[in-house]
Amino acid sequence: RRAGAELMRHLVRAFSLAGILLPAVSALPEKARRDYHDNPRYKTAISDGQVLAEDQEYDLALDAYAEANRVAGGKDKFCLRHIIELQIANGDYDDAVATAARFETLVVTPTEKAYAETSRGRAYFLKAEPEKSGASYDASLLTKANDAFKAALTIEPKNATALFQDGEVLTHLGQM
């Protein structure tokens, strides 16, 4: 009987300790995530990136968001979205495709995955545009854009950006 009571006491202690430690351990990733948001270098880089982007200083804004992303361990979705948009605005289409692929490896929601595909499609479509007026679009890049938009629409069928831009791509491919 005494041995049973002692065993019960040990079990209660073990479960109490587990009840204290498990929430603390599971909160570590959340705390680590918050830590870089509180980092002054991160905050400054984000602020600089926003101001520079508004001033259309795209190269400098890209550098600022890249710095913030480095502080975040290279996995900050907020920074990567801004980097993608700035790369597209700056005409750095190959970089935008690569950043969209990196973004896609980090995301979990269908909306985020569709955004990554749509961004890839936008970059391919804009890169396909002819440099001289009257010249034709690059068909291989249009096909890549079409594939990216179709992938986005498979994930999120009502994605307005993907629907509209895929229509533009299909028009240039002569399929509409």
Side-chain angles (χ1 to χ4, degrees), residues 129-153:
E129 194 172 346
E131 292 181 25
K132 298 178 182 177
S133 82
S136 61
Y137 280 68
D138 183 325
S140 66
L141 290 173
L142 287 175
T143 300
K144 287 181 179 182
N146 182 43
D147 292 344
F149 290 132
K150 294 282 189 247
L153 292 167

Side-chain angles (χ1 to χ4, degrees), residues 114-130:
Y115 171 80
E117 292 293 346
T118 301
S119 296
R120 263 188 337 111
R122 287 175 44 224
Y124 283 132
F125 177 61
L126 292 168
K127 186 176 179 180
E129 194 172 346

